[in-house]
Amino acid sequence: MTENADTRRNHDHGNGNGREAGRGMGRTAAEQGTGQGAERDGEGAVGTVLVTSGTGKTGRRVAERLTALGVPVRSGSRTGNSGADTGNSGAGTGGPGARAADSASRAGTVPFDWQDDSGWAEALRGARAAYVAYYPDLAVPGAAGAMAAFGRTAAACGVRRVVLLSGRGEPQAVVAEEALRGAAGAAEVTVVRSAFFAQNFSEGALLEGVLGGEVAFPAGTTAEPFVDLDDLADVVVAALTGHGHAGAVYELTGPRSLTFAQAAEELARAAGRPVRYVPVTGPAYASLLEEFGVPGPEARFLAELFETLLDGHNTATTDDVQRVLGREPKDFSAFAREAAGDGAWHG
């Protein structure tokens, strides 16, 4: 499940219900993942990292962890301001000419829109690495073309490392992955294929279902190994900052698979409120998405995608989180307790 599928309203705005997971945790996670800590260059820093969807569910967490490591982060957003500065890069404050020259190389928030490639080079110029989360999903028509164009731009800008968020068990997403690899030149490319985000219940469109006591979704009785986004962000940061990840494909899952009905039971127990799962058809779910403001074609695509992904072929768990980070992935029940403790379902 990629960054923004089923979470259109959170594409450019972080959700206050999310846990500020990166603070104080980034260094330990990265060091566990690489065995050596963050890779350093001659200037004593990893170099600026562009996070293409810096306010999305995964991008925000990745940016927090990188910042905790002292890595300058350029956070991409459709409403970004290229003059914003986090203070991590030590950019100068000279006259208009100096500001124009500095704007591409300093850390901060920059405009980045997958539907408008005219700003990509400016966002990437001076960056050493990039975390790529494509909206709405790598399986959509046109995603492969966008990945090829991004790869070419990244290569031209001298980007050395790219970590791509992908969906687990999506054949069309693999086409987009390969398009990026083929266009990225000498840049190291790592692919992180994710299972369904646990946080879709606390920060996405499924949040309102939990608050209302009924989670409607086209999953039937299929079990899914929900992955916690803290684990995913830690893996991404390890791949961005450490050694040994070039060319790797990681499939990230939680430690066990649950049906959506079982997940609803866990959510109810943690939240202290009734929550039940209501299976619906793909077309019915597409209609629900449209009610949330998702355009009809996109809603139908997502509903069909979910039906395809939740047919049982993604039920098995993997050990990739443990292999990268040296620890077990977070269990869904732990996610639910933490989200409840942080007030995710107090609405």
Side-chain angles (χ1 to χ4, degrees):
M1 187 62 57
T2 55
E3 174 79 7
N4 293 297
D6 197 32
T7 58
R8 183 179 183 86
R9 290 178 301 168
N10 292 331
H11 179 53
D12 277 318
H13 303 280
N15 189 297
N17 293 322
R19 187 159 68 94
E20 295 295 320
R23 303 188 188 281
M25 295 176 58
R27 182 172 299 278
T28 299
E31 290 174 352
Q32 286 177 339
T34 66
Q36 302 180 43
E39 179 183 336
R40 303 288 168 177
D41 63 19
E43 298 176 352
V46 172
T48 298
V49 177
L50 171 67
V51 178
T52 61
S53 296
T55 54
K57 290 199 297 297
T58 70
R60 172 169 53 84
R61 288 170 167 84
V62 169
E64 288 170 352
R65 283 158 168 75
L66 290 171
T67 300
L69 284 170
V71 177
V73 176
R74 192 174 297 162
S75 183
S77 167
R78 287 182 298 181
T79 57
N81 180 355
S82 61
D85 193 347
T86 63
N88 290 325
S89 65
T93 57
R99 287 196 296 271
D102 287 342
S103 66
S105 61
R106 66 188 178 189
T109 302
V110 297
F112 191 93
D113 188 344
W114 284 115
Q115 305 305 314
D116 181 6
D117 63 4
S118 64
W120 296 359
E122 182 70 8
L124 284 165
R125 192 167 293 117
R128 302 285 292 279
Y131 170 55
V132 178
Y134 180 75
Y135 177 83
D137 191 272
L138 281 183
V140 302
M147 288 300 99
F150 182 88
R152 289 190 295 270
T153 305
C157 291
V159 173
R160 299 180 180 181
R161 185 172 294 183
V162 177
V163 178
L164 173 65
L165 178 64
S166 186
R168 186 172 181 237
E170 297 184 39
Q172 288 305 117
V174 175
V175 176
E177 295 169 11
E178 293 306 313
L180 176 61
R181 287 189 191 278
E188 300 175 354
V189 177
T190 304
V191 175
V192 175
R193 296 175 182 164
S194 176
F196 198 95
F197 298 164
Q199 276 77 3
N200 282 334
F201 293 102
S202 60
E203 299 177 29
L206 297 183
L207 168 61
E208 294 197 16
V210 177
L211 293 174
E214 292 188 349
V215 176
F217 206 74
T221 59
T222 299
E224 171 70 13
F226 301 98
V227 67
D228 189 275
L229 290 185
D230 288 347
D231 292 334
L232 186 150
D234 285 345
V235 169
V236 169
V237 170
L240 285 169
T241 63
H243 297 283
H245 305 285
V249 176
Y250 298 123
E251 292 202 0
L252 305 188
T253 73
R256 63 186 174 117
S257 296
L258 299 83
T259 65
F260 272 65
Q262 291 169 329
E265 292 174 0
E266 297 267 10
L267 296 170
R269 191 157 38 246
R273 61 195 306 157
V275 183
R276 71 185 186 96
Y277 169 58
V278 180
V280 296
T281 65
Y285 190 69
S287 296
L288 289 174
L289 289 180
E290 290 187 62
E291 292 178 11
F292 280 100
V294 179
E298 185 177 320
R300 289 189 292 274
F301 165 80
L302 291 174
E304 292 171 3
L305 176 65
F306 295 144
E307 284 188 306
T308 300
L309 295 179
L310 294 164
D311 65 359
H313 75 280
N314 283 330
T315 294
T317 62
T318 74
D319 65 353
D320 281 2
V321 169
Q322 184 174 29
R323 288 199 302 119
V324 176
L325 301 179
R327 59 169 171 77
E328 288 288 332
K330 188 184 298 183
D331 189 75
F332 188 85
S333 60
F335 147 74
R337 289 194 301 270
E338 291 177 5
D342 287 342
W345 302 301
H346 285 174

